[in-house]
Amino acid sequence: MTYKEQLQRVWHDYEAKHGRVPATARDAVHWGVLHGMIQTPEVDPLAKLAEDMATALREEYATDAQGRRYRVNHAVRVTKGGVQYTFWAMMKDAPRDHMQKAFIQRREQIVGDCVQLSTDVEAYNDMNCEQPPIPMLFDFRDDVEERRYWDDKKAA
């Protein structure tokens, strides 16, 4: 059984034991550790710091001369010799090629999320056909404009 499969098993066992109600992953892993189903991992301090740095880089924003709040740092994932690396660059200094790849990869993530969300909604609707189906639209133009409008109102 893989590590992820172990975690999935802990989740399913926890959910069955606690009445199939929404719960946090933290509660489930705590329960799994207490019941000897999984062990707390040994942490590589440099890996933890690199993960924390990536999170911090992802969350750094600045405001441009037009008042737009933008992400400062952008990542590009590259696989070399079967190993995936993530290269970060600050947008103001990044080569165009890096930014183009970063934007394409982020767009692909969004598309992948939309494909999976569509599948999940369809499956849920089929599993619950006695209820009205949950609609899901994927034209985000109005959502983007509305969010920008309210963000501008908040900033003013």
Side-chain angles (χ1 to χ4, degrees), residues 84-104:
Q84 188 178 75
Y85 299 92
T86 303
F87 293 93
W88 288 88
M90 294 178 66
M91 188 162 64
K92 67 181 180 76
D93 302 318
R96 179 181 169 81
D97 184 55
H98 179 89
M99 292 308 301
Q100 186 172 18
K101 287 176 185 172
F103 293 151
I104 289 169

Side-chain angles (χ1 to χ4, degrees), residues 8 17 36 38 56 62 71 86 95 120 124 136 141 143 153:
Q8 291 164 352
K17 179 80 171 164
I38 53 174
R71 281 185 48 202
T86 303
D120 295 346
Y124 176 83
M136 191 57 53
R141 287 177 287 202
D143 302 88
K153 283 277 217 203

Side-chain angles (χ1 to χ4, degrees), residues 137-151:
L137 303 174
F138 292 97
D139 179 347
F140 297 108
R141 287 177 287 202
D142 291 343
D143 302 88
V144 169
E145 289 307 313
E146 182 178 349
R147 177 73 57 91
R148 282 185 162 169
Y149 172 81
W150 288 112
D151 287 350

Side-chain angles (χ1 to χ4, degrees), residues 27-45:
D27 288 341
V29 295
H30 180 76
W31 179 83
V33 168
L34 287 177
H35 288 86
M37 300 173 75
I38 53 174
Q39 295 180 351
T40 55
E42 290 186 28
V43 178
D44 173 357

